[in-house]
């Protein structure tokens, strides 16, 4: 099913979905990119920061403009830095994302990957007219930034067809090496008037087919099971802040399974690991579990957070690698049946396998 293989997605001969780890300026720990950190994850290829965070933190903002993002965040050059335009944060603000400020930031802070300054997300609950309005406004920005390194944005919605037609009729946009895809999460979260699952997946497949040569990035995918959907849809990269958000709530991620709560925090009540799952955690090969074991995962304060976050990100990276291995050697269809324990996503994976004839 892999008709398009991008050179930079081939890792040791394997096609691995790139996990872009979302960061927060408020706390850059655990320093998963740093070889001298106990939480170092050598397989991490990319991180994402949000322009909205820099715009709210003048000291960071100035430092990034002066030193560039890699130096300012002390992240090695071999780890790519993706920039999120923060459109969601600026939504309620007058005039949205400040265009000139964003352009200057891109020019001076030099992220490796950066979308157009603003996109307008057509949420499921909008009327048809409102959704079309969002699509046309986003397309205006795509066209305004078509000649630079800005990555154009496409949204999944009920009106994908006319939007793709506009995109396909523009030679400059078609010549872009990257395209970002948004609007999937609200639809998969079953928002009111959300599209049916099959329709969402069909829409992503359609985008993949129409942009056969471009690298496709999907915004905001969090759980281990959704990585399977992204890999089956031949997405090139996804970003996620879930590894940190979950860690902050005392949650760890497990391969092929839902989230488990290992530390009770505040009013949050989640499912605890069963005996088998504690065993899985005991034998986990991630640097946090190897070094600090279960005691590290259930520790309080920043130490516990760093261990859980590292464990979560390592789990995502490993899951993406395993999916690629099984897809390549043709064992995926047999493997995922025993591997995935998630009632919501299993039928979706079945559907995709059926559609792609795996
Ligand atoms: Zn671990």
């Amino acid at each position: 099913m892999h008709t398009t293989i991008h050179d930079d997605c081939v890792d040791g001969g394997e096609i691995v979905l790139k996990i872009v780890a979302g960061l927060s300026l408020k706390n850059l720990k655990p320093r998963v990119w740093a070889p001298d950190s106990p939480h170092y994850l050598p397989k991490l290829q990319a991180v994402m920061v949000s322009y909205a965070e820099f715009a709210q933190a003048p000291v960071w903002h100035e430092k990034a403009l002066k030193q560039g993002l890699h130096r300012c965040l002390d992240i090695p050059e071999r780890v790519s830095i993706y920039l999120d335009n923060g459109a969601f944060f600026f939504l309620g603000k007058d005039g949205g994302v400040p265009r000139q400020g964003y352009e200057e930031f891109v020019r001076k802070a030099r992220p490796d990957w950066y979308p157009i300054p603003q996109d307008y997300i057509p949420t499921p609950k909008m009327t048809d007219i409102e959704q079309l309005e969002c699509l046309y406004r986003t397309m205006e920005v795509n066209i305004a930034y078509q000649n630079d390194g800005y990555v154009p944005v496409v949204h999944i919605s009920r009106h994908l067809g006319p939007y793709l037609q506009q995109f396909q009729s523009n030679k400059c946009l078609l010549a872009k090496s990257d395209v970002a895809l948004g609007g999937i999460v609200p639809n998969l979260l079953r928002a009111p008037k959300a599209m049916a699952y099959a329709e969402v997946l069909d829409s992503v497949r359609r985008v993949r087919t129409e942009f056969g040569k471009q690298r496709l990035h999907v915004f905001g995918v969090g759980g281990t099971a959704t990585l399977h959907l992204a890999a089956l849809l031949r997405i090139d990269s996804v970003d996620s802040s879930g590894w940190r958000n979950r860690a902050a709530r005392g949650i760890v991620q497990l391969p092929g399974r839902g989230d488990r709560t290992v530390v009770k925090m505040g009013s949050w009540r989640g499912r605890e690991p069963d005996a088998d799952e504690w065993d899985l955690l005991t034998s986990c090969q991630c640097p946090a579990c190897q070094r600090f074991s279960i005691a590290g995962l259930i520790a309080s304060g920043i130490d516990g957070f760093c261990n859980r976050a590292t464990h979560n990100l390592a789990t995502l990276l490993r899951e993406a690698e395993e999916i690629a291995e099984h897809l390549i050697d043709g064992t995926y269809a047999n493997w995922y049946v025993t591997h995935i324990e998630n009632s919501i996503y299993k039928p979706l994976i079945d559907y995709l396998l059926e559609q792609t004839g795996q």
Side-chain angles (χ1 to χ4, degrees):
M1 74 184 260
H2 291 282
T3 50
T4 314
I5 298 174
H6 302 296
D7 292 344
D8 54 353
C9 298
V10 178
D11 175 25
E14 297 167 347
I15 308 153
V16 184
L17 173 70
K18 189 195 278 183
I19 310 285
V20 182
L23 302 185
S24 165
L25 289 184
K26 291 180 191 88
N27 171 21
L28 286 168
K29 287 182 177 173
R31 296 175 65 248
V32 283
W33 52 83
D36 64 351
S37 161
H39 300 107
Y40 179 46
L41 297 175
K43 293 203 167 157
L44 180 68
Q45 291 179 286
V47 296
M48 181 178 268
V49 290
S50 174
Y51 175 63
E53 275 204 274
F54 282 93
Q56 292 172 86
V59 176
W60 275 113
H61 189 265
E62 207 189 310
K63 203 174 158 198
L65 292 188
K66 217 178 257 172
Q67 303 182 339
L69 279 170
H70 278 97
R71 234 187 97 198
C72 144
L73 300 170
D74 196 16
I75 293 177
E77 292 286 340
R78 58 164 192 82
V79 175
S80 306
I81 301 184
Y82 283 48
L83 184 68
D84 177 14
N85 61 17
F88 193 74
F89 166 80
F90 289 105
L91 206 58
K93 311 274 180 282
D94 254 0
V97 183
R99 300 264 172 106
Q100 282 186 347
Y102 184 79
E103 285 172 32
E104 186 193 21
F105 192 83
V106 163
R107 208 169 50 244
K108 295 186 176 165
R110 302 184 304 280
D112 296 290
W113 184 102
Y114 44 96
I116 54 170
Q118 182 141 33
D119 56 297
Y120 303 87
I121 305 166
T123 60
K125 68 175 193 313
M126 287 180 178
T127 64
D128 286 350
I129 290 171
E130 286 168 335
Q131 279 206 344
L132 284 168
E133 176 78 15
C134 280
L135 297 178
Y136 292 135
R137 287 175 79 190
T138 301
M139 187 53 84
E140 267 175 25
V141 188
N142 281 337
I143 290 168
Y145 288 84
Q146 65 189 7
N147 293 317
D148 304 302
Y150 293 86
V151 175
V153 179
V154 174
H155 295 110
I156 297 295
S157 78
R158 302 190 295 273
H159 303 283
L160 182 64
Y163 193 71
L164 286 178
Q165 263 170 13
Q166 268 205 38
F167 207 106
Q168 297 286 21
S169 63
N170 182 311
K171 278 193 184 128
C172 289
L173 287 179
L174 274 186
K176 293 271 185 179
S177 58
D178 293 78
V179 172
L181 190 53
I184 295 171
V185 176
N187 276 298
L188 285 180
L189 288 178
R190 314 308 302 140
K193 287 167 89 181
M195 296 160 77
Y197 282 137
E199 220 181 314
V200 177
L201 298 178
D202 289 346
S203 298
V204 180
R205 279 186 67 209
R206 183 170 172 192
V207 171
R208 176 71 282 182
T209 307
E210 296 215 11
F211 298 109
K213 289 185 186 130
Q214 280 88 355
R215 281 183 297 251
L216 263 189
H217 178 84
V218 167
F219 286 120
V221 167
T224 47
T226 49
L227 297 185
H228 288 252
L229 298 178
L232 288 170
L233 288 160
R234 292 190 292 115
I235 300 302
D236 296 288
S237 57
V238 296
D239 64 86
S240 173
S241 297
W243 60 293
R244 297 176 56 88
N245 298 339
R246 285 171 169 87
R249 289 180 302 173
I251 293 170
V252 295
Q253 291 173 275
L254 285 165
R257 295 170 191 232
D259 300 338
R260 298 292 180 262
T261 299
V262 293
V263 192
K264 289 212 169 71
M265 295 178 119
S267 60
W268 183 263
R269 293 283 173 274
R271 188 168 151 185
E272 289 173 37
D274 62 23
D276 280 351
E277 289 161 354
W278 281 119
D279 282 348
L280 267 177
L281 289 168
T282 306
S283 57
C284 178
Q285 297 296 307
C286 87
C289 293
Q290 285 289 300
R291 196 155 172 157
F292 307 107
S293 70
I294 299 285
L297 288 182
I298 62 174
S300 58
I302 182 82
D303 290 341
F305 167 77
C306 285
N307 292 329
R308 288 188 297 278
T310 303
H311 167 87
N312 289 345
L313 184 55
T315 302
L316 294 177
L317 291 167
R318 179 71 200 125
E319 188 82 356
E321 219 172 51
E322 269 197 75
I323 294 168
E325 283 165 14
H326 286 286
L327 281 173
I328 287 163
D329 70 12
T331 55
Y332 182 84
N334 288 328
W335 170 69
Y336 91 97
V337 184
T338 54
H339 182 73
I340 295 265
E341 261 198 18
N342 185 311
S343 55
I344 303 171
Y345 291 104
K346 214 162 182 173
L348 302 183
I349 295 172
D350 289 336
Y351 176 79
L352 278 181
L353 288 176
E354 221 170 86
Q355 297 292 306
T356 54
Q358 277 275 315

